Amino acid sequence: MKLIFRSILFLFLLIFLSGKMMSQTVVLKDNWRFSKEVKEDAFAVGFDASKWDKVSVPHDWAIYGPFDKEWDKQVSAIEQNGEKIPTEKTGRTGSLPHIGTGWYRNTFTIPEFKKGKKALLVFEGAMSEPQVFLNGKQIGKWGYGYSYFSIDITNELVVGKENLLAVKLTNMPFSSRWYPGAGLYRKVSVVVSEEERFAQWGTFITTPDMKDNNAVVDIKAEFHGSNVSMETQIKDANNKVIATQKNTETKDGKFHQTILVGKPNLWSPETPYLYTAVTKLYAADGTLKDEQNIKFGIRFIKYEPHVGFSLNGKITKFKGVCLHHDLGPLGAAINKAALKRQLTILKDLGCNAIRSSHNMPSFEQLELADEMGFMFLAESFDEWAKPKVENGYHRFFSEYAEKDIVNLVRATRNHPCIVMWSSGNEVPDQWGAEGVKRARWLQDIFHREDPTRPVTVGMDQVKATMESGFGALLDIPGLNYRVHLYEEAYKTFPQGFILGSETASTVSSRGIYKFPVVKEKNKQYPDFQSSSYDLEACSWSNVPDEDFVLQDDKPWVIGEFVWTGFDYLGEPTPYDEKWPSRSSYFGISDLAGLPKDRFYLYRSRWNTKDKTLHILPHWNWKGREGEITPVFVYTSYDSAELFVNGKSMGVQKKNNSTPQNRYRLMWNDVKYEPGTVKVVAFDSNGKKAAESEVKTAGDPYKIVLNADRKTIKADGEDISFVTVSVVDKNGIPCPVADNELQFKVTGAATYRAACNGDATSLEIFHQDHMKLFSGKLVVLVKTIETAGAIQLEVTGKGLQKGKINLKSER
């Protein structure tokens, strides 16, 4: 096989021939070969992989399906759900073919370089248990599929000739509680540097204090070499140098600089201002040997008993969501455009914080959180030494836990978005003295690596952690659900505040409504959907309003992280035992990123800049004429009047009689008749402030397309997400349409995938056709590396086709 990274070779030649080489990072993206056939000798130099699939990395081999309940069928009792008797679970890990062994191979060439230079191979995530081979020899391995890690390949390189890189990945059955993805799902890079260089992930920038009107910027930088000096320039967001410092004194292999920044712009979710520290390493003769450009923010965090969390001196509640790492139809393969779309949706929601659950976040996600303004709870593990699943992280805990935490912290600690760490989630180790020791040990590692941020654990066994001292030793006691224990936990734990580290777990299906409308737990229906009236939860969880009451009435509740911001693949509670059901119902938005009704309930409370006025359900109920069909309104206004076909249903005003009445307006006795439902909202003075309406639609007539972005980058990675819906002859959306549609992309892009948000659909994401679910779906159009015009055409039998013109630019 002759697969040479020509762009890499050219870059390295330029670097070496210039004689001024500094650390250079080259992403190994293209020309990979992949096979899921188990070939134990596939690392050999002479192995013929010419018939393997040609792929680019990041890559998730399992997302292409097909869906099949046999992939990871489990007979188990889910302890987190309070189950005692094992039952068959068919969709717990997404029903996708992630189990098994996959091989990746590639080649690259590096020109000869002098003694003392260093080459590192860096993996940002490899699912799972990577074994790495270079030129036929195993050079390293790792246990945790979510961890970042690096391997020194300096001595194994063949300089001036092809080097063969092979990676073996193994996903064992019963190793995850959700869809973990499979493959090299995050970036792989080669970092080549001089003998005098900054250490990998060795620079730590903090902003510990303000002096007068100056921010103190503290920089500690590890390095290799001797007789060197370091100069730092601080640049503002306009790339203007605003402060400089140079020094030659070192201690314990580190430079330490303290630089003042006058009248700083402080980082916050509202004003995510970023500075850049340009650190340069010079030899004694003045030659520049290495350079780093590190973005950072100036911000101050504080957690105080009985007061709560403050950011830059202002009391701030966490309005957060939990996110699994999969990106719906893209699977686990990281894509910055998809991440940015998620965060844009969350910004409109009013969300200000994210918990990476239950995994280490991607670098891209943290970069976007810095830029767009989201606080971050960066989580490490879902298991410690005691297992939740047969082949989970407990197999690696004793050998890898400290190394994984060190890599997590050092690789990400300069991100201002991170305001706390999590060492675990609902670990069975919450019970007993050994668990307390482990919690302290892990927290001490975080403190050693980063003394500036506190540590939490998502605790579900709250009574046990009260008795054992587990909860008392944490910097931040995090409660997963258990709203009935908040008061007792607050009185028992010494910290003086409680974090809702995981809240709600309300279940719903976008656009699906069930009657009669009742508040109920563990409710199941024959179609395996959940009602979007947002009154259904699990045995161990609750509806959103119960969390809202605690956060509004108890200053010592510092906020929440809702489970979850988006639906994700796997964990189809409450239908873990039903087939087909292969993705979650917990999301505020569905798997396609389309908002559910619940989105507007949270938005009405969280988004304080924009007004919210949303009606549910839809008004297409043929056959329910004259039957009670309650109407709910999620709104930031306190009162409103409802009309059905011009007839008033009365005025409702929010009140404290129940949590639901406090945060929703509900007309529970409305009888269905086709036509128009209109709501008129009133301001605090009782004057009409806004109105909204929902109409009964006729038969589907026309396909309508709306793109999140019409101009995208011609980089081979950018994606435009196009929402596809169907309207009747009068342009009224058809909320129950389930037409099968076909997709065709022409021009400077390719069709990548589609998703309709239906947790029971077995349609393959990357095929060019799919049925609408509740009248909508989303098509992903991905650029190539050539700029130009793009057209998406969507057709369906008996429907007027939809077309949209996009373009890509360099």
Side-chain angles (χ1 to χ4, degrees):
M1 181 180 67
K2 298 292 184 181
L3 298 174
I4 300 176
F5 266 126
R6 299 188 187 278
S7 59
I8 294 176
L9 174 60
F10 179 67
L11 176 59
F12 279 132
L13 281 171
L14 286 179
I15 294 167
F16 283 93
L17 292 175
S18 70
K20 296 181 179 180
M21 186 221 168
M22 297 181 291
S23 290
Q24 299 289 332
T25 299
V26 181
V27 177
L28 307 184
K29 173 189 172 185
D30 297 317
N31 298 320
W32 289 88
R33 292 284 184 173
F34 165 75
S35 176
K36 199 169 179 288
E37 299 295 324
V38 178
K39 301 287 186 182
E40 293 303 325
D41 59 347
F43 59 85
V45 174
F47 182 86
D48 182 9
S50 60
K51 295 182 179 180
W52 286 13
D53 294 337
K54 189 175 180 180
V55 301
S56 60
V57 168
H59 177 249
D60 179 354
W61 80 57
I63 194 59
Y64 298 96
F67 292 104
D68 190 326
K69 69 177 183 178
E70 299 298 326
W71 288 126
D72 193 21
K73 185 167 64 176
Q74 304 179 16
V75 178
S76 61
I78 303 175
E79 293 183 13
Q80 291 75 33
N81 295 359
E83 296 179 1
K84 304 295 183 183
I85 301 173
T87 57
E88 181 178 283
K89 311 294 193 298
T90 57
R92 200 176 182 203
T93 54
S95 302
L96 288 163
H98 71 282
I99 303 300
T101 299
W103 280 94
Y104 292 82
R105 285 168 59 101
N106 213 328
T107 58
F108 60 93
T109 303
I110 295 180
E112 187 171 352
F113 56 95
K114 66 181 181 181
K115 183 178 179 181
K117 293 184 186 292
K118 181 73 69 174
L120 291 178
L121 185 61
V122 181
F123 292 85
E124 296 179 19
M127 191 65 68
S128 284
E129 303 182 42
Q131 298 180 48
V132 185
F133 303 82
L134 190 64
N135 300 323
K137 175 185 176 183
Q138 184 167 345
I139 58 170
K141 64 177 183 176
W142 209 263
Y144 195 30
Y146 290 109
S147 189
Y148 339 114
F149 66 96
S150 62
I151 301 171
D152 187 338
I153 60 173
T154 306
N155 295 331
E156 283 73 30
L157 282 174
V158 177
V159 295
K161 297 181 180 179
E162 270 190 7
N163 288 270
L164 172 69
L165 174 63
V167 184
K168 179 184 179 182
L169 298 171
T170 304
N171 276 356
M172 297 184 69
F174 319 125
S175 60
S176 181
R177 299 191 298 120
W178 56 83
Y179 175 69
L184 296 175
Y185 69 101
R186 293 179 182 169
K187 290 179 181 176
V188 180
S189 305
V190 175
V191 180
V192 180
S193 58
E194 292 270 28
E195 180 176 5
E196 300 89 352
R197 63 189 180 277
F198 290 111
Q200 178 79 1
W201 303 331
T203 299
F204 189 16
I205 302 175
T206 60
T207 57
D209 199 7
M210 286 285 290
K211 292 182 178 179
D212 298 324
N213 203 22
N214 300 309
V216 177
V217 178
D218 186 276
I219 303 176
K220 296 181 177 69
E222 297 179 38
F223 68 94
H224 300 281
S226 57
N227 297 320
V228 292
S229 61
M230 184 176 90
E231 180 183 71
T232 298
Q233 295 177 331
I234 304 294
K235 294 183 176 181
D236 65 14
N238 296 317
N239 208 35
K240 178 183 177 182
V241 177
I242 58 172
T244 302
Q245 187 176 121
K246 184 173 183 178
N247 64 323
T248 58
E249 295 183 6
T250 64
K251 183 178 180 180
D252 300 325
K254 295 180 182 178
F255 286 104
H256 185 191
Q257 295 179 334
T258 301
I259 305 173
L260 297 180
V261 173
K263 298 180 180 179
N265 292 288
L266 301 185
W267 185 95
S268 72
E270 296 75 26
T271 58
Y273 193 94
L274 295 175
Y275 293 87
T276 303
V278 182
T279 59
K280 298 180 180 182
L281 193 69
Y282 292 95
D285 64 359
T287 303
L288 179 62
K289 307 299 288 187
D290 203 357
E291 180 177 320
Q292 299 178 120
N293 288 260
I294 301 173
K295 289 186 180 293
F296 70 97
I298 298 173
R299 57 102 176 103
F300 305 96
I301 61 174
K302 186 181 290 186
Y303 297 82
E304 299 176 275
H306 319 298
V307 175
F309 169 73
S310 62
L311 177 65
N312 303 327
K314 179 182 178 182
I315 299 298
T316 302
K317 294 267 190 176
F318 291 105
K319 300 182 291 187
V321 300
C322 300
L323 292 181
H324 266 320
H325 75 304
D326 80 67
L327 294 169
L330 296 176
I334 203 69
N335 179 276
K336 200 164 185 177
L339 285 169
K340 189 169 185 178
R341 174 180 179 251
Q342 280 193 340
L343 296 187
T344 300
I345 292 168
L346 291 175
K347 267 292 178 185
D348 181 57
L349 179 66
C351 172
N352 68 5
I354 293 165
R355 175 188 180 215
S356 64
S357 40
H358 307 290
N359 52 271
M360 300 176 177
S362 68
F363 295 164
E364 291 89 346
Q365 190 178 39
L366 293 174
E367 289 166 5
L368 287 168
D370 285 345
E371 295 167 7
M372 298 177 68
F374 289 90
M375 296 179 289
F376 218 96
L377 195 175
E379 192 153 87
S380 50
F381 311 123
D382 189 52
E383 274 188 8
W384 292 351
K386 292 185 177 181
K388 290 183 183 178
V389 290
E390 181 180 332
N391 291 312
Y393 186 74
H394 66 276
R395 294 184 297 132
F396 308 115
F397 181 79
S398 61
E399 179 182 357
Y400 282 97
E402 181 169 6
K403 292 186 285 189
D404 284 330
I405 290 174
V406 168
N407 285 356
L408 166 64
V409 176
R410 292 188 182 183
T412 66
R413 59 190 173 182
N414 293 321
H415 290 280
C417 64
I418 298 178
V419 295
M420 70 178 97
W421 307 104
S422 170
S423 62
N425 170 71
E426 296 183 0
V427 293
D429 313 65
Q430 289 168 89
W431 300 89
E434 285 299 314
V436 176
K437 291 179 183 178
R438 291 183 189 116
R440 180 177 290 110
W441 176 65
L442 293 170
Q443 184 165 273
D444 287 346
I445 297 170
F446 275 106
H447 288 169
R448 182 191 73 204
E449 297 299 318
D450 176 14
T452 72
R453 296 178 177 94
V455 181
T456 190
V457 170
M459 301 182 294
D460 62 332
Q461 302 300 322
V462 180
K463 285 283 191 180
T465 64
M466 291 179 189
E467 296 169 2
S468 68
F470 185 109
L473 72 86
L474 299 173
D475 298 327
I476 299 176
L479 267 61
N480 286 10
Y481 315 105
R482 311 304 189 264
V483 290
H484 62 288
L485 293 176
Y486 268 51
E487 289 277 4
E488 185 179 353
Y490 171 62
K491 293 174 182 177
T492 302
F493 295 144
Q495 294 91 339
F497 52 80
I498 297 291
L499 170 68
S501 46
E502 193 169 310
T503 64
S505 274
T506 305
V507 292
S508 63
S509 303
R510 177 182 55 80
I512 302 295
Y513 307 92
K514 302 296 185 179
F515 306 98
V517 178
V518 293
K519 184 180 176 184
E520 197 164 354
K521 294 193 175 184
N522 296 330
K523 182 67 176 176
Q524 296 186 4
Y525 301 95
D527 61 358
F528 304 158
Q529 304 291 352
S530 294
S531 179
S532 201
Y533 276 104
D534 303 320
L535 290 172
E536 297 176 3
C538 308
S539 60
W540 37 269
S541 64
N542 53 272
V543 296
D545 321 72
E546 295 169 28
D547 293 301
F548 295 168
V549 169
L550 285 165
Q551 291 147 31
D552 287 347
D553 293 355
K554 311 295 182 183
W556 42 267
V557 178
I558 64 175
E560 69 171 322
F561 289 88
V562 180
W563 192 264
T564 51
F566 295 84
D567 281 340
Y568 55 93
L569 292 162
E571 276 193 318
T573 310
Y575 296 107
D576 305 89
E577 302 166 12
K578 307 294 183 180
W579 179 258
S581 189
R582 46 69 172 162
S583 59
S584 75
Y585 300 79
F586 296 119
I588 294 172
S589 293
D590 71 14
L591 196 71
L594 297 171
K596 301 179 185 179
D597 292 294
R598 194 160 13 112
F599 179 95
Y600 301 97
L601 179 59
Y602 282 97
R603 189 182 192 273
S604 69
R605 184 169 174 274
W606 282 1
N607 186 336
T608 57
K609 291 184 178 179
D610 305 303
K611 295 296 184 181
T612 298
L613 186 60
H614 175 76
I615 305 171
L616 64 133
H618 63 71
W619 212 239
N620 272 58
W621 296 107
K622 187 176 181 180
R624 284 190 58 82
E625 288 80 4
E627 295 188 41
I628 291 178
T629 307
V631 175
F632 289 7
V633 171
Y634 297 157
T635 180
S636 46
Y637 297 100
D638 285 335
S639 64
E641 185 173 8
L642 186 74
F643 298 87
V644 177
N645 293 329
K647 181 181 177 181
S648 175
M649 299 291 108
V651 175
Q652 292 286 344
K653 184 177 177 62
K654 293 177 183 176
N655 61 74
N656 293 336
S657 60
T658 69
Q660 281 68 52
N661 287 103
R662 185 169 174 177
Y663 298 101
R664 317 176 189 210
L665 299 177
M666 300 180 291
W667 289 261
N668 290 313
D669 298 323
V670 175
K671 293 183 179 179
Y672 174 67
E673 59 182 66
T676 300
V677 175
K678 184 171 77 170
V679 64
V680 177
F682 305 110
D683 63 19
S684 57
N685 297 316
K687 294 183 178 180
K688 178 180 174 180
E691 65 178 55
S692 181
E693 62 183 24
V694 175
K695 295 183 177 182
T696 303
D699 293 334
Y701 173 74
K702 178 182 179 182
I703 298 169
V704 177
L705 309 182
N706 287 288
D708 69 330
R709 292 177 303 139
K710 287 191 172 183
T711 301
I712 48 182
K713 292 182 180 179
D715 58 4
E717 297 180 4
D718 205 2
I719 295 174
S720 177
F721 292 80
V722 182
T723 299
V724 180
S725 56
V726 171
V727 299
D728 68 8
K729 288 184 177 181
N730 297 314
I732 300 171
C734 299
V736 297
D738 61 357
N739 308 65
E740 182 170 13
L741 306 181
Q742 290 76 41
F743 323 117
K744 182 180 179 182
V745 176
T746 54
T750 60
Y751 168 75
R752 176 61 184 85
C755 184
N756 61 15
D758 180 2
T760 70
S761 172
L762 301 183
E763 297 169 283
I764 305 302
F765 297 127
H766 67 281
Q767 291 182 345
D768 62 356
H769 55 87
M770 183 171 285
K771 287 185 176 181
L772 294 162
F773 177 65
S774 294
K776 292 184 179 182
L777 57 76
V778 174
V779 172
L780 284 66
V781 178
K782 186 177 180 181
T783 61
I784 58 176
E785 294 184 354
T786 302
I790 303 164
Q791 186 177 81
L792 168 64
E793 181 179 282
V794 181
T795 57
K797 185 177 180 180
L799 297 172
Q800 190 177 110
K801 71 174 63 174
K803 290 183 179 180
I804 190 169
N805 293 315
L806 312 171
K807 65 178 179 179
S808 64
E809 296 178 344
R810 280 292 183 183

